[in-house]
Structure formats: C-alpha cells, structure tokens
Amino acid sequence: MGPISRLSLLCLLLLHFPQQIRATLGILRAINDDGSSAKDYCITYNSTWTTLPTTYTNATYHKMKDLSSLWLCNHSDISGTDLKDHAVVVMAGKCSILDKASVAQQGNAAILLIASKEGLPPPSENRSSYQNLTIPIAYMKYGDLMGMEKTLGQNIQVTLYSPSLPLFDYSMLVIFLISVFTVALGGYWSGLSELEDLRPSSSLGEPEGSKKKDENVTFTPLTVILFVIICCVMLLLLYFFYKWLVYVIIGVFCLASAMSMFNCLSALIQHIPYGRCRVSYCNKSAEVRLLFLAAFCIAVSVTWVVFRNEDRWIWILQDILGIAFCLNFIKTLRMPNFKACVILLGLLLLYDVFFVFITPFFTKNGESIMVEVAAGPSGNPEKLPVVIRVPRLEYSALTLCGIPFSLLGFGDIIVPGLLVAYCRRFDVRTSSSSIYYISCTLAYAVGMFLTFVILIVMKTGQPALLYLVPCTLFTSSIIAWSRKEMKKFWNGGCYEIMEQADNTVSEDIRTNEAQ
C-alpha cells in the first residue's frame, strides 16, 4: 500500500459519528389481545405538545384501529367509524398532522399515530390555530405497523411512553478505555520502531534502519495540506455518491484491516522462539506460522464482511479489526516534527468544525454533511465501517430507535495518536524519560473525558477533535517550553540532522587545529 493510498484511506477515517440525542424519541409498546406477547417500537413525538410517562408499568392501553388506508383530513373520512378511546393509525401526507389530529380528537380518539414511509420526522408544525388540541400525536414507521400486525395479530392494544435518557451509559467508559489504550499502545509501538531505526545495522554497507524506514510514511507540511484537501473531496464524494462508494470503502477496509491485524500479531509472534520452520516458494521463503497467521487474519476480515449487518455480535470483530487498523497506522505514519503536527491537527480541527457545524446552513435538510455521511442515507442498511462501536448498556428510546451503539470514529484515535507517537519518538531520540509521551497520552485521556462530559451536558453530538486537538497540542507545547526544548521539539528530525552536522563540522575543525 503506497503513500497516496494510505493518505486516501486515512481520509475516510476522519468521518466522525457524533451521538445524536433527540428529546422527541419515544416508544410505542404493543401487546396482543390476551397480553401474552408484547413488543416495543420507535416513535417520534413533540415533547412540548405531549407529555409521556417514563414507564409502561401503570400506563393505560388503548385498542389500535388501523385506518392507514385513509388520510383523515376531513370528517367524512371517519363517517360511521367508532374512534372512541382508540389509538388511531393513519397515513402521513395530503394535509397537516394537526388537521388529522383535530379530526381524530373530534372523533374522541385517545391517540393519533401517523404512519410514515419516509423515516420518523419530529412533529414540529405551528399550533397557534389548534390551541384546543390535547390528543397525543406521534409518528411511527409504516413498516413497523405491517410487522406489528403480522407478529401480534389484528387485535392489538398500545400505549406510549418515553424512558428518561440516562445521563451516563457504561458503553462510554468502554469507548474511553479502548481509545486511550489504542493511542498509548500505538505511540509506544512507534517508539519501539524508532529504537530499531537507531540500532546499528547488522549488514555491512546497509544504511542504518533502512529496512524499517522503508515500511513507514513520513508526513511533510506539503503532504499534510494535500491530505486535508483529499479529505474534503472524498467526504463530498461520499455525500453525493454514498450508495456506490460505501461498498468501495467496505472492500478497502476489509483488505487494510486484515493487513493491519497481521502486522500487529506478527510483531508479537516474532518474540516467540518456537515454530520458526520455513517453507520455500518462488525463490523466497516464509515462516509457516506467519502463513497460518495470514490465513487467520483474512478469515477474520472476511467473516466481518459476510456478517457486517448482524448487530448482536459482529461489533466485537469490527472493534478488534478497528483497533489493529488504528495501531498499524499510528505506528506506520510518522510526523517529522511538531510543526507538521500543529498544521495537521489545526487544519483537521477546522475541517471538523466546518463539516459538522457550518454545512447545515447549506444543505437542504439542515443536516451536517459529516453526520449525513456518517449515519448513511435513510433506508440504506450499509454503514461506513470506520468506527469503534459498543452497545449501549442502558435501555432507552435511543437504544430502540436505531442508535443502539456508542460510537467513536477512527480519526479521533489516529489523528491525535500521530502526535502521541511523535512525542514517543522524540523521547527516544532525546532520552527524555518518556515525559512527552506520558503527558500527551494523559492529555488525550483528558480530551476524551471532556468530550463525553460535553456530550452529556449538551445532549447533542460532539466532534471529538474539537477537544482532543487543544488538549494534546497545548500540553505538548507546555512541556517543551518548560524543558527549554521548544526549538528542538518544533523542528524534530530536521533539527537533529542540522545539529549532528554542526557537531561533525566542529569536531573536524578541532581535529585540524590539533594537527
């Protein structure tokens, strides 16, 4: 995989998945005639119009009447139909939902359910002309209505409720631990690679660390700018051509994650002194255990592709592949100096803010391009596999309504992880006792903690880079200034090369003077 392909693939990782917390989500609980079977369905309602109980335990059930063949826009639609104390289901369209609610209320209906084939929009019309409306109004999916009647039969009773949104879900803690662990381990692995580069070559005439450095890609300021431009272009392409490009991304992730898992596990296997027998093929040789490892990694990746839409357990495989993917990229992609880190993280922060907060002013539906691409078009089951996801452990309307996972984009791990890796390599080259690496890793943990705190307080999606970038950059800068190493930290390897050259010249001068 060449440098450009690595850059292009990394661009896809900058899709952030802010967790959307909507106050208008609720639950419709349906039971069959004898109460032996029950099932919950997602609804949307306007919390300023309707107050729903937080539990169904003491709720009143109403018999459902399916009038989905009607629009319920005028009283003639219900002529001769008994709606009293019924939960009436009608189709969306033809007239406003408040007109439908007015007709249903005059028919003494208990609840108005509007079946929609276009997702679940929140009820948000002007009620100034409908001050006397008291009937609960909610949207439900038309597909849920059809499935409900097949599962529970025709005699169905329903009630509406909306469990309180938990302030904290333990899935957030799992996401936090995974992200901090991955960044810390990736940075540490990058430091070990740096030690290998500094180790004298065992082969005569072979440049120091040449083999290792060939496996790595170094960002330059120009490469960083090119990278951000490619990110913007690819995000826009995904926005307009999602239904085709999503399969390209799935295929690329399958290949790249298998390679990443192989690189991570092979680095561990190399330290095991057993099973080193080799086989020869095409004038080359390979260890048998590495061939079995390659087959295992391919099998894991293919299994994920086949069962990627299975929510009950496939998230475990996706997280394992994702962690390996992030580790491999943090180790492989190298920042040459702190200047490049500042440019990269600063531009990506602007990229994040623009596509999350600014683009809603330009899109037709008022949704940000980042969220649209991350969530995928409505009705499309395929999602971009560029997230760590953990099932929510607290049951709520969010769990039921298509957001059953806490999510964190790979970009929120890899991008700050590149700075952590640079700090670790700088520690190795300057013998700084890991002060930069430890401080930057702790700053990343603080940034992630702050992200979740703001998410809980604001109850809306948060782009993590908005908090991770300032925390990691400011902390690294403060450490460098306090140690009076800012110039060396800013210039990185370039400074070391110039310093070594100056030392060599000085030694030559002293030698000549002595002679």
Side-chain angles (χ1 to χ4, degrees):
M1 187 179 295
I4 297 301
S5 60
R6 282 192 176 117
L7 289 179
S8 301
L9 183 57
L10 183 58
C11 293
L12 304 175
L13 310 183
L14 299 177
L15 302 175
H16 302 281
F17 290 70
Q19 302 173 45
Q20 298 298 306
I21 299 180
R22 300 182 177 90
T24 55
L25 293 177
I27 297 176
L28 181 149
R29 185 169 183 82
I31 61 175
N32 58 4
D33 195 26
D34 58 5
S36 60
S37 182
K39 191 172 181 180
D40 289 342
Y41 299 89
C42 181
I43 61 170
T44 56
Y45 72 102
N46 193 317
S47 57
T48 63
W49 298 358
T50 305
T51 301
L52 298 182
T54 58
T55 178
Y56 63 86
T57 303
N58 297 318
T60 302
Y61 284 84
H62 301 276
K63 187 173 182 179
M64 190 179 76
K65 183 178 287 290
D66 184 2
L67 298 180
S68 57
S69 59
L70 304 176
W71 299 110
L72 206 67
C73 290
N74 52 64
H75 296 284
S76 61
D77 290 339
I78 57 172
S79 177
T81 304
D82 181 19
L83 302 184
K84 186 175 181 180
D85 292 332
H86 283 71
V88 180
V89 185
V90 298
M91 289 300 298
K94 293 294 184 181
C95 60
S96 76
I97 59 174
L98 296 177
D99 289 336
K100 299 175 187 290
S102 177
V103 174
Q105 180 168 301
Q106 291 185 27
N108 295 317
I111 299 173
L112 176 64
L113 299 172
I114 302 172
S116 171
K117 295 182 179 180
E118 306 295 332
L120 292 174
S124 57
E125 296 181 6
N126 186 358
R127 287 194 61 175
S128 58
S129 301
Y130 298 88
Q131 298 295 328
N132 295 325
L133 276 181
T134 58
I135 184 173
I137 307 169
Y139 275 104
M140 68 178 300
K141 295 179 181 178
Y142 180 76
D144 287 346
L145 174 64
M146 297 295 99
M148 183 190 307
E149 293 177 346
K150 289 181 181 179
T151 304
L152 301 176
Q154 297 298 319
N155 296 322
I156 301 173
Q157 296 187 32
V158 300
T159 190
L160 306 181
Y161 71 105
S162 181
S164 301
L165 292 175
L167 291 179
F168 174 77
D169 191 283
Y170 282 100
S171 61
M172 294 183 184
L173 177 60
V174 178
I175 288 283
F176 174 84
L177 294 176
I178 289 175
S179 60
V180 174
F181 166 79
T182 305
V183 166
L185 184 58
Y188 183 78
W189 190 15
S190 183
L192 293 180
S193 178
E194 189 72 13
L195 285 172
E196 289 292 327
D197 291 347
L198 296 175
R199 185 174 301 165
S201 176
S202 59
S203 301
L204 294 177
E206 183 180 352
E208 181 181 327
S210 60
K211 182 178 179 181
K212 287 289 180 182
K213 289 182 181 179
D214 287 342
E215 299 174 357
N216 299 312
V217 177
T218 302
F219 274 179
T220 64
L222 180 61
T223 308
V224 167
I225 296 173
L226 176 63
F227 164 66
V228 176
I229 293 174
I230 294 175
C231 286
C232 297
V233 172
M234 295 193 71
L235 183 60
L236 291 174
L237 288 175
L238 281 167
Y239 179 72
F240 290 106
F241 306 104
Y242 182 92
K243 65 179 180 180
W244 297 290
L245 290 181
V246 65
Y247 295 104
V248 176
I249 306 308
I250 289 173
V252 172
F253 175 73
C254 176
L255 176 62
S257 61
M259 294 172 58
S260 299
M261 176 177 270
F262 176 82
N263 290 338
C264 293
L265 296 180
S266 62
L268 296 176
I269 288 178
Q270 295 298 337
H271 296 284
I272 301 176
Y274 304 104
R276 294 183 180 274
C277 56
R278 307 177 72 90
V279 294
S280 300
Y281 62 98
C282 300
N283 297 324
K284 298 181 179 179
S285 64
E287 293 184 2
V288 174
R289 60 183 182 176
L290 294 182
L291 295 178
F292 279 107
L293 177 62
F296 170 76
C297 294
I298 293 172
V300 171
S301 186
V302 170
T303 301
W304 173 81
V305 170
V306 174
F307 298 99
R308 64 186 181 277
N309 293 321
E310 173 58 62
D311 284 339
R312 288 176 297 177
W313 58 271
I314 201 61
W315 62 271
I316 300 175
L317 278 188
Q318 180 167 324
D319 287 356
I320 292 173
L321 292 171
I323 291 171
F325 186 85
C326 294
L327 285 174
N328 189 58
F329 263 80
I330 292 174
K331 180 258 181 184
T332 303
L333 295 176
R334 295 190 171 191
M335 305 305 295
N337 47 48
F338 188 57
K339 176 174 67 177
C341 292
V342 171
I343 295 173
L344 175 65
L345 272 67
L347 288 178
L348 290 180
L349 175 59
L350 295 177
Y351 161 92
D352 216 17
V353 171
F354 176 79
F355 281 104
V356 172
F357 295 121
I358 306 301
T359 54
F361 295 103
F362 304 103
T363 56
K364 294 181 179 179
N365 58 0
E367 192 71 272
S368 76
I369 289 180
M370 185 74 77
V371 172
E372 281 282 303
V373 172
S378 178
N380 193 325
E382 299 293 351
K383 307 300 179 185
L384 292 174
V386 291
V387 290
I388 299 294
R389 58 177 185 163
V390 177
R392 294 181 183 273
L393 303 178
E394 297 287 339
Y395 185 75
S396 67
L398 279 175
T399 311
L400 182 67
C401 297
I403 317 178
F405 295 91
S406 291
L407 308 172
L408 183 69
F410 290 169
D412 296 325
I413 298 175
I414 291 180
V415 174
L418 295 176
L419 174 57
V420 173
Y422 171 71
C423 290
R424 177 57 183 161
R425 293 197 309 275
F426 186 80
D427 283 329
V428 169
R429 286 190 173 270
T430 59
S431 302
S432 302
S433 303
S434 302
I435 181 66
Y436 288 93
Y437 165 68
I438 294 175
S439 300
C440 196
T441 302
L442 291 176
Y444 177 83
V446 171
M448 282 301 305
F449 177 78
L450 185 60
T451 300
F452 286 122
V453 169
I454 299 299
L455 174 67
I456 292 171
V457 172
M458 301 298 294
K459 295 185 178 181
T460 187
Q462 299 296 318
L465 288 184
L466 186 60
Y467 310 99
L468 295 174
V469 169
C471 285
T472 52
L473 286 181
F474 288 159
T475 300
S476 302
S477 301
I478 291 172
I479 297 297
W481 278 112
S482 64
R483 293 173 60 86
K484 296 180 171 52
E485 295 177 336
M486 192 61 193
K487 183 177 181 181
K488 185 184 296 186
F489 190 62
W490 180 262
N491 292 291
C494 297
Y495 180 88
E496 291 171 3
I497 292 173
M498 292 186 294
E499 187 177 47
Q500 291 172 4
D502 291 341
N503 292 337
T504 302
V505 171
S506 299
E507 289 177 3
D508 290 342
I509 292 173
R510 286 194 297 267
T511 301
N512 292 333
E513 289 177 350
Q515 293 176 350

